[in-house]
Amino acid sequence: MSSEHDTHESHGIRGYVIVALILAVITYVEFAIIEYEIAWLGPGAILFWLIALSLAKFVMVIAYFMHLKDDDATYTGFFTSGMVIGFGTFVAFTFLMTLPASLPEIRQAALTVSQPAHGEAEGDGYGGGYGGGISEETRAAIESDGYSRPLSDVLREGPPKDQTLRVTPPAAASDGWTVALSTPAFGAARAEAAPAGDEAPAPAEAAPAPTDAEPAPDEAAQATEVASFDPAAAEAAYTANCASCHQANGAGLPGAFPPLAEHFPTLVASDAGRTYVISSLLYGLQGEIEVQGMTYAGVMPAWGYLGDDVLANTLNHAATAWGNEALLADDFTPFTPEEVAAQRDGGLTAADVYELRNALDLP
Amino acid sequence: MAADAPATAAPSVPAHGWRSSKLPDMKLMMWIFLASDIMFFGTLIGTYLIYKGRSLTGPYPQDVLDIPLTTVSTFVLLMSSFLMVIALDALKRNDIGKFRLWTFGVAFFGAIFLGFQVYEFNHFVDLGLTLQGNLFGTTFYVLTGTHGVHVAIGVLWLLSIVVASYVRPWTSKDATNLEVAGLYWHFVDVVWIVIFTLVYLVDFVPGAGG
């Protein structure tokens, strides 16, 4: 027994050395993938390989170093069930944590879709129920629509007639899933508006209010080329990320959070101004500013972790909502994710952004 | 196995007469503990991932994490696992000198890993990452700190084994004792493998989060 044991063990040592070498090589490969930015692998593929490689290491240590491969199955049973429960907890956790976060977005999408109908519901005497921060328009929309149903209902019964449910996976790891209801009419309206080219440059065609009553200048023919944005997504992005401070109606809170309504267009009248507002989102803003005769000495945190498209959307909403659209310069073009992306890696601080603002020629 | 079956009816037979037909209690208990511990770490890792990218203020992962440094400490921990199996192998062969040497080596490598972590934490705090500062700091320190405590316990355990082997010389009969400590040690290594990928590497995948 004993001699047999010995040979078995020394045979084992060679095996251990091989396993250790493989583990070392895998670790190096993982390091190299990140350190040398293997560009020809897409982000998805890199993620896949990183996880696959670490899983391989995980299994090898357990199977060979912890001898689970040759040991009694009881051990494996215990360990696997622990892992299954652990992973199950993780999945349940993730589900619980992300679901409530997406619910307001869904409702928001539903509201936006139903806005064209809000005229009917106006002035019908609904008073209470919806607290501060919700605009008249939004409230009317809530009252009138039949779509603000719980997500579970929408998923089970399907979206309301003549609407489609669009579920978009997060563009960046930090974004949530977006669920939006859309009417074909919306798309059709946009498709028509674009080639016509006689709309106001900002493609806010979905807005029910005919704010673009002034005739478009001749040069607006170029507007056909102009990047467009989805007003529903823009409003959702603003509601989710900005409304808590600047309020859903853009009025801010006097003395605490500056208004964006009737103010934002003055900021973005110049190219420098556009750079400034994008920077204020990417790097935050700190310093005393004066808006509409009121002084604000607060701090806006940086929103750089949000995706380029989300940030562009929040800006587009601020530019076009609350009657701001009528105040925009004629040559205003919507913010694009690319424009936001171009300002990243500037390495500014909130105080630098404040200097950018001071350099502007604000009225 | 079956040869000893009748003996189980009479508990008075010499201990190892019937115990050899069963799984060692200590080992079984260790595996059950590890099963519970993996749920514990699963929750911490899950919490980290859920709050990933939701910090309102910096420093963000890319600002502080140092991949080359952590790769080295990961490597050190992996190699300590290798020494661990060699140590167990030596003890099983009654090679007490090597067993002591390698076991001490495992503890030493573990201490190096902890040294890296202490340096890392200090450095991060200097960069402004604190336990209360933002969600990244909170979840990062709780997760890696818990892991560090596991490593520290392992180091103490292994050192105590080295000391114990001088007090009462160990033989291959004690192999199960070392094996159980080894299981714990490898587990701590395995958890780090996961943390290294999900907490450190993934943040640097191009285009994943800003």
Side-chain angles (χ1 to χ4, degrees):
Chain A
M1 153 94 195
S2 143
S3 67
E4 193 186 305
H5 196 86
D6 281 352
T7 53
H8 169 77
E9 291 304 328
S10 49
H11 171 73
I13 290 226
R14 202 178 320 133
Y16 294 146
V17 172
I18 294 176
V19 171
L21 279 177
I22 299 181
L23 290 174
V25 169
I26 293 184
T27 306
Y28 179 75
V29 171
E30 286 179 325
F31 163 76
I33 290 181
I34 292 301
E35 195 63 16
Y36 304 119
E37 294 179 4
I38 315 285
W40 43 267
L41 275 179
I46 292 184
L47 210 60
F48 171 83
W49 281 111
L50 286 180
I51 290 178
L53 287 173
S54 70
L55 202 68
K57 288 203 287 186
F58 185 93
V59 170
M60 282 175 77
V61 172
I62 291 178
Y64 295 101
F65 284 179
M66 296 168 89
H67 306 117
L68 211 49
K69 191 166 91 54
D70 304 316
D71 219 331
D72 197 283
T74 316
Y75 303 135
T76 318
F78 274 115
F79 194 65
T80 326
S81 37
M83 258 169 52
V84 169
I85 297 175
F87 192 70
T89 316
F90 168 62
V91 172
F93 237 47
T94 318
F95 187 69
L96 283 176
M97 296 290 296
T98 49
L99 193 60
S102 57
L103 277 179
E105 272 181 77
I106 293 163
R107 216 178 58 157
Q108 189 59 39
L111 291 177
T112 319
V113 165
S114 61
Q115 264 189 10
H118 83 270
E120 306 160 10
E122 248 166 20
D124 58 1
Y126 281 104
Y130 298 98
I134 297 185
S135 69
E136 279 294 307
E137 216 178 34
T138 312
R139 194 187 66 190
I142 298 178
E143 307 294 352
S144 71
D145 83 322
Y147 306 143
S148 40
R149 295 178 294 157
L151 171 64
S152 52
D153 287 5
V154 177
L155 292 182
R156 191 172 51 243
E157 300 159 15
K161 257 213 320 268
D162 66 71
Q163 300 217 359
T164 47
L165 188 66
R166 200 157 32 90
V167 181
T168 337
S174 52
D175 299 337
W177 286 72
T178 356
V179 181
L181 286 168
S182 60
T183 19
F186 254 40
R190 191 167 335 141
E192 267 170 37
D198 54 6
E199 289 275 34
E205 68 286 339
T211 45
D212 47 359
E214 18 65 276
D218 300 339
E219 302 89 325
Q222 304 169 330
T224 43
E225 297 234 350
V226 156
S228 69
F229 68 96
D230 175 3
E235 181 168 3
Y238 177 88
T239 309
N241 301 300
C242 320
S244 53
C245 294
H246 296 286
Q247 304 301 305
N249 59 5
L253 283 181
F257 308 117
L260 298 176
E262 293 173 24
H263 167 58
F264 192 84
T266 59
L267 291 175
V268 296
S270 64
D271 281 348
R274 293 176 74 104
T275 308
Y276 158 68
V277 291
I278 294 175
S279 304
S280 76
L281 297 194
L282 290 176
Y283 310 108
L285 174 66
Q286 179 162 21
E288 193 173 296
I289 64 175
E290 196 184 308
V291 179
Q292 293 169 0
M294 178 82 91
T295 306
Y296 297 86
V299 181
M300 177 160 75
W303 306 108
Y305 66 91
L306 294 171
D308 296 332
D309 52 338
V310 175
L311 291 177
N313 270 335
T314 60
L315 292 174
N316 284 327
H317 188 69
T320 54
W322 323 301
N324 275 356
E325 189 177 2
L327 305 173
L328 289 171
D330 290 338
D331 58 355
F332 173 83
T333 56
F335 289 88
T336 62
E338 292 73 30
E339 191 179 355
V340 174
Q343 300 297 328
R344 282 194 193 267
D345 305 325
L348 302 185
T349 65
D352 297 338
V353 176
Y354 179 63
E355 293 308 321
L356 285 184
R357 187 185 201 271
N358 287 338
L360 294 180
D361 193 17
L362 293 178
Chain B
M1 273 203 183
D4 289 328
T8 54
S12 58
V13 292
H16 76 265
W18 56 269
R19 285 187 59 89
S20 66
S21 67
K22 291 189 167 184
L23 304 175
D25 289 351
M26 279 207 348
K27 222 173 125 179
L28 192 59
M29 290 205 354
M30 180 45 79
W31 275 109
I32 293 175
F33 165 72
L34 295 185
S36 78
D37 218 27
I38 200 165
M39 294 185 225
F40 181 46
F41 274 111
T43 314
L44 291 180
I45 294 174
T47 311
Y48 175 85
L49 291 180
I50 286 163
Y51 287 123
K52 197 169 134 56
R54 292 183 187 232
S55 295
L56 291 185
T57 58
Y60 303 103
Q62 298 94 323
D63 302 336
V64 295
L65 298 182
D66 182 343
I67 296 298
L69 183 93
T70 317
T71 306
V72 173
S73 69
T74 302
F75 182 75
V76 167
L77 201 60
L78 275 178
M79 290 308 110
S80 77
S81 258
F82 171 65
L83 292 187
M84 189 74 236
V85 283
I86 308 268
L88 179 61
D89 189 76
L91 181 60
K92 280 185 179 162
R93 285 185 288 107
N94 256 326
D95 187 343
I96 302 305
K98 289 247 175 66
F99 144 66
R100 280 188 189 130
L101 177 68
W102 298 137
T103 308
F104 181 77
V106 179
F108 183 67
F109 275 33
I112 294 183
F113 178 86
L114 283 178
F116 272 114
Q117 195 165 40
V118 169
Y119 166 80
E120 185 188 43
F121 278 21
N122 261 322
H123 183 59
F124 288 1
V125 170
D126 287 346
L127 292 175
L129 187 73
T130 59
L131 187 58
Q132 305 97 329
N134 62 9
L135 276 173
F136 170 56
T138 306
T139 51
F140 173 83
Y141 283 127
V142 170
L143 171 57
T144 54
T146 306
H147 179 266
V149 169
H150 276 71
V151 176
I153 291 174
V155 168
L156 292 179
W157 187 354
L158 292 167
L159 287 180
S160 76
I161 286 179
V162 175
V163 172
S165 77
Y166 283 100
V167 176
R168 173 188 65 78
W170 281 33
T171 67
S172 58
K173 288 206 195 70
D174 299 298
T176 306
N177 282 335
L178 187 66
E179 190 179 351
V180 169
L183 287 178
Y184 175 82
W185 190 261
H186 296 310
F187 174 77
V188 169
D189 188 16
V190 152
V191 170
W192 186 256
I193 289 175
V194 176
I195 293 180
F196 179 55
T197 303
L198 292 184
V199 175
Y200 287 82
L201 295 177
V202 159
D203 281 303
F204 292 86
V205 173

